[in-house]
Structure formats: structure tokens, C-alpha cells
Coordinates of all heavy atoms in Angstrom, one line a residue:
H16 N 130.2 101.1 87.9 CA 131.3 100.5 87.2 C 132.5 101.5 87.4 O 133.0 102.1 86.4 CB 131.0 100.2 85.8 CG 130.2 99.0 85.6 ND1 128.8 99.1 85.7 CD2 130.5 97.7 85.3 CE1 128.3 97.9 85.5 NE2 129.2 97.0 85.3
N17 N 133.0 101.7 88.6 CA 134.2 102.4 88.8 C 135.4 101.6 88.4 O 135.6 100.5 88.8 CB 134.3 102.8 90.3 CG 135.4 103.8 90.6 OD1 136.5 103.4 90.6 ND2 135.0 105.0 90.9
L18 N 136.3 102.3 87.6 CA 137.4 101.6 87.0 C 138.8 101.8 87.7 O 139.8 101.4 87.2 CB 137.5 102.0 85.6 CG 136.3 101.7 84.7 CD1 136.6 102.3 83.3 CD2 136.0 100.2 84.6
S19 N 138.7 102.4 88.9 CA 140.0 102.7 89.6 C 140.9 101.5 89.8 O 142.1 101.7 89.8 CB 139.7 103.4 90.9 OG 138.9 102.6 91.8
K20 N 140.3 100.3 90.0 CA 141.2 99.2 90.2 C 141.6 98.5 88.9 O 142.4 97.6 88.9 CB 140.4 98.1 91.1 CG 140.1 98.7 92.5 CD 139.4 97.6 93.3 CE 139.1 98.2 94.7 NZ 138.3 97.2 95.5
D21 N 141.1 99.0 87.8 CA 141.4 98.3 86.5 C 142.3 99.1 85.6 O 142.9 98.5 84.7 CB 140.0 98.0 85.8 CG 139.1 97.2 86.6 OD1 139.5 96.1 87.0 OD2 137.9 97.6 86.8
L22 N 142.4 100.4 85.8 CA 143.0 101.2 84.8 C 144.6 100.9 84.7 O 145.1 101.3 83.7 CB 142.9 102.7 85.2 CG 141.4 103.2 85.1 CD1 141.3 104.7 85.4 CD2 140.9 103.0 83.6
T23 N 145.1 100.4 85.7 CA 146.6 100.0 85.6 C 146.8 99.0 84.5 O 148.0 98.8 84.1 CB 147.1 99.5 87.0 OG1 146.3 98.4 87.4 CG2 147.1 100.6 88.0
R24 N 145.8 98.3 84.1 CA 145.9 97.3 83.0 C 145.9 97.9 81.6 O 146.1 97.2 80.6 CB 144.8 96.2 83.1 CG 144.9 95.4 84.4 CD 144.0 94.2 84.3 NE 142.6 94.4 84.5 CZ 141.7 94.2 83.5 NH1 142.0 93.8 82.3 NH2 140.4 94.5 83.8
I25 N 145.6 99.2 81.5 CA 145.6 99.9 80.2 C 147.1 100.1 79.8 O 147.8 100.7 80.5 CB 144.9 101.2 80.3 CG1 143.4 101.0 80.6 CG2 145.0 101.9 78.9 CD1 142.6 100.4 79.5
S26 N 147.4 99.5 78.7 CA 148.8 99.6 78.3 C 149.1 100.3 76.9 O 150.2 100.5 76.5 CB 149.5 98.2 78.2 OG 148.8 97.4 77.3
V27 N 148.0 100.7 76.2 CA 148.1 101.3 74.9 C 148.4 102.8 75.2 O 148.1 103.4 76.2 CB 146.9 101.2 74.1 CG1 146.7 99.7 73.7 CG2 145.6 101.7 74.7
P28 N 149.0 103.5 74.2 CA 149.2 105.0 74.3 C 147.9 105.6 74.6 O 146.9 105.4 73.9 CB 149.8 105.3 72.9 CG 150.4 104.1 72.4 CD 149.6 103.0 72.9
T29 N 147.9 106.5 75.6 CA 146.6 107.2 76.0 C 146.8 108.7 76.1 O 147.7 109.1 76.8 CB 146.1 106.6 77.3 OG1 145.9 105.2 77.2 CG2 144.8 107.3 77.7
L30 N 145.9 109.4 75.5 CA 145.9 110.9 75.6 C 144.7 111.3 76.4 O 143.5 110.9 76.1 CB 145.9 111.5 74.2 CG 145.7 113.0 74.1 CD1 146.9 113.8 74.7 CD2 145.4 113.5 72.7
L31 N 144.8 112.2 77.4 CA 143.8 112.8 78.1 C 143.7 114.3 77.8 O 144.7 115.0 78.0 CB 144.0 112.6 79.6 CG 144.4 111.1 80.1 CD1 144.9 111.2 81.5 CD2 143.2 110.2 80.0
V32 N 142.6 114.7 77.3 CA 142.4 116.1 77.0 C 141.2 116.6 77.9 O 140.1 116.1 77.7 CB 142.1 116.4 75.5 CG1 142.0 117.9 75.3 CG2 143.2 115.8 74.6
W33 N 141.5 117.6 78.7 CA 140.4 118.0 79.7 C 140.2 119.5 79.7 O 141.2 120.2 79.5 CB 140.9 117.5 81.1 CG 139.9 116.6 81.8 CD1 139.1 117.0 82.8 CD2 139.8 115.2 81.6 NE1 138.4 115.9 83.2 CE2 138.8 114.8 82.5 CE3 140.4 114.3 80.7 CZ2 138.4 113.4 82.5 CZ3 140.0 113.0 80.8 CH2 139.0 112.6 81.7
G34 N 139.0 119.9 80.0 CA 138.7 121.3 80.2 C 139.1 121.7 81.6 O 138.6 121.0 82.6
L35 N 139.8 122.7 81.8 CA 140.2 123.2 83.1 C 138.9 123.6 83.9 O 138.9 123.7 85.1 CB 141.2 124.4 83.0 CG 142.6 124.0 83.1 CD1 143.5 125.3 82.9 CD2 143.0 123.4 84.4
N36 N 137.8 123.9 83.2 CA 136.6 124.4 83.8 C 135.5 123.4 83.8 O 134.3 123.7 84.0 CB 136.2 125.7 83.1 CG 137.3 126.7 83.0 OD1 137.9 126.8 82.0 ND2 137.6 127.5 84.0
D37 N 135.9 122.1 83.6 CA 135.0 121.0 83.6 C 134.4 120.8 85.0 O 135.2 120.6 86.0 CB 135.7 119.7 83.1 CG 134.7 118.6 82.9 OD1 133.6 118.6 83.5 OD2 135.1 117.6 82.2
T38 N 133.1 121.0 85.2 CA 132.5 120.8 86.5 C 131.8 119.4 86.7 O 131.3 119.1 87.7 CB 131.5 121.9 86.8 OG1 130.6 122.0 85.7 CG2 132.2 123.2 87.0
I39 N 131.8 118.7 85.6 CA 131.1 117.3 85.6 C 132.2 116.3 85.9 O 131.9 115.4 86.8 CB 130.4 117.1 84.3 CG1 129.3 118.1 84.1 CG2 129.9 115.6 84.2 CD1 128.6 118.0 82.7
T40 N 133.3 116.3 85.3 CA 134.4 115.5 85.6 C 135.6 116.4 85.8 O 136.4 116.7 84.9 CB 134.8 114.4 84.5 OG1 134.9 115.1 83.2 CG2 133.8 113.3 84.4
P41 N 135.7 117.0 87.0 CA 136.7 118.1 87.3 C 138.1 117.7 87.1 O 138.4 116.5 87.0 CB 136.4 118.5 88.7 CG 135.1 117.9 89.1 CD 134.9 116.7 88.2
P42 N 139.0 118.7 87.0 CA 140.4 118.4 86.7 C 141.1 117.4 87.6 O 141.9 116.6 87.1 CB 141.1 119.8 86.9 CG 140.1 120.8 86.4 CD 138.7 120.2 86.9
P43 N 140.7 117.3 88.9 CA 141.3 116.2 89.7 C 141.0 114.8 89.2 O 141.8 113.9 89.4 CB 140.7 116.4 91.1 CG 140.4 117.9 91.2 CD 139.9 118.2 89.8
V44 N 139.9 114.7 88.5 CA 139.6 113.4 87.9 C 140.6 113.1 86.8 O 141.1 111.9 86.6 CB 138.1 113.4 87.3 CG1 137.8 112.1 86.6 CG2 137.1 113.6 88.4
A45 N 140.9 114.1 86.0 CA 141.9 113.9 84.9 C 143.3 113.5 85.5 O 143.9 112.6 85.0 CB 142.0 115.2 84.1
H46 N 143.7 114.2 86.6 CA 144.9 113.8 87.2 C 144.9 112.4 87.7 O 145.9 111.7 87.6 CB 145.2 114.8 88.4 CG 145.7 116.1 87.9 ND1 146.9 116.4 87.3 CD2 145.1 117.4 88.1 CE1 147.1 117.6 87.0 NE2 146.0 118.3 87.5
E47 N 143.8 111.9 88.2 CA 143.7 110.5 88.7 C 143.8 109.5 87.5 O 144.5 108.5 87.6 CB 142.4 110.3 89.5 CG 142.3 109.0 90.2 CD 143.3 108.7 91.3 OE1 144.1 109.6 91.6 OE2 143.3 107.6 91.8
F48 N 143.1 109.8 86.4 CA 143.3 109.0 85.2 C 144.8 109.0 84.8 O 145.3 107.9 84.5 CB 142.5 109.6 84.0 CG 141.0 109.0 84.0 CD1 140.0 109.9 84.1 CD2 140.8 107.7 83.7 CE1 138.7 109.5 84.1 CE2 139.4 107.3 83.7 CZ 138.4 108.2 83.9

């Protein structure tokens, strides 16, 4: 269930808080969100 084609439909205020040392969902994933 990859959401890359659906996320543009999210319209509510959204905060992303990420660990710079996250190796499971690394920082490039946060940038893509």
C-alpha cells in the first residue's frame, strides 16, 4: 500500500517530525512526504 500517488489529496495541516538518524524510514523519505 504505497501512498505516493495519493498523498497529494491530503489537505489538512500536517507536521512531519523525523529523526536525522532514522535508518528504517530514512530522512529522504521525510523529504518525499
Side-chain angles (χ1 to χ4, degrees):
H16 286 83
N17 186 286
L18 300 177
S19 57
K20 295 180 180 179
D21 302 306
L22 293 179
T23 55
R24 294 196 283 117
I25 298 289
S26 59
V27 295
T29 302
L30 173 66
L31 310 167
V32 183
W33 238 258
L35 269 175
N36 310 96
D37 188 341
T38 54
I39 296 174
T40 49
V44 177
H46 284 293
E47 186 66 1
F48 273 116

